[in-house]
Amino acid sequence: METNKLKTELQRIHQLLWDTTAAMDALTQTKQPNGKWSAVQHVQHINKGVAGVYKYMGLDKTTIENMFGLAAAPSRSFEESMAFFGQYVTGAVSTERFAPEPSESISFPQEYQKGLHVLNGLITAMEQWSEDELDKYNCPHPLLGKLTAREMLYFTLFHAQHHLATVEKIH
């Protein structure tokens, strides 16, 4: 998937997550069915992940190469990436850095604003990358290991889709 389509999809899926959460009343937004994360916790978790990718994409390429290295293999296709990520969904546990705060302490309006900020920043940062560069540089993922920058962007989309599907089940 080329960058322009990826930007559009990232905006679309994140907006769906925010709109789905915004359509809930405040009690439902913070409800934790069966002790699982609430809708606002899912939103905060996604925001933390996007913020990390935004920070990475804003680094200069020399720093990225020095810190994480160059990709040893070409990027997986979008379809291959989705299948690869799907293998890790069941049983995956967030690392502490990306875990949300307690549900009752999260303000959805604030998280929505944070989400807009980090997503818009990420999309702007993507404009500093060529298609070739997205396939050239490694990007660390806390559970999946080294991905290419393109694969990390694919993961960012996959991750938001996964959490949107979970939020849609909260009533």
Side-chain angles (χ1 to χ4, degrees):
M1 180 183 302
E2 291 198 6
T3 307
N4 284 336
K5 180 163 187 192
L6 185 53
K7 288 180 199 174
T8 300
E9 285 302 299
L10 285 165
Q11 289 172 316
R12 184 185 69 78
I13 202 69
H14 283 86
Q15 193 63 56
L16 274 172
L17 174 63
W18 299 326
D19 290 348
T20 300
T21 304
M24 299 174 173
D25 61 58
L27 188 60
T28 305
Q29 286 178 352
T30 59
K31 177 181 169 184
Q32 294 184 254
N34 302 319
K36 304 280 186 185
W37 285 353
S38 68
V40 292
Q41 286 176 307
H42 285 281
V43 169
Q44 187 178 76
H45 171 71
I46 290 298
N47 288 350
K48 287 181 175 191
V50 172
V53 179
Y54 167 34
K55 182 178 178 182
Y56 166 86
M57 296 292 289
L59 295 172
D60 67 84
K61 310 299 187 305
T62 302
T63 300
I64 291 172
E65 183 175 352
N66 290 337
M67 291 178 72
F68 311 115
L70 298 178
S75 295
R76 294 172 185 92
S77 70
F78 179 74
E79 294 76 16
E80 291 167 335
S81 294
M82 294 298 117
F84 174 70
F85 305 144
Q87 297 172 31
Y88 293 90
V89 170
T90 305
V93 178
S94 175
T95 58
E96 186 62 31
R97 175 179 172 201
F98 298 101
E101 298 167 11
S103 188
E104 61 279 355
S105 69
I106 301 172
S107 160
F108 174 70
Q110 288 178 342
E111 285 303 318
Y112 175 65
Q113 290 304 313
K114 286 179 190 174
L116 282 173
H117 173 76
V118 295
L119 184 62
N120 289 335
L122 172 59
I123 287 169
T124 299
M126 288 171 69
E127 295 179 13
Q128 304 307 310
W129 288 69
S130 70
E131 295 293 335
D132 288 342
E133 288 172 330
L134 290 174
D135 298 317
K136 179 179 178 179
Y137 294 93
N138 280 330
C139 181
H141 185 282
L143 299 174
L144 303 175
K146 288 182 181 177
L147 302 174
T148 66
R150 181 182 307 280
E151 290 168 338
M152 183 59 87
L153 292 169
Y154 289 165
F155 177 80
T156 302
L157 178 60
F158 172 89
H159 194 217
Q161 290 172 330
H162 168 71
H163 285 273
L164 169 62
T166 304
V167 168
E168 288 175 334
K169 295 174 187 169
I170 298 173
H171 301 103

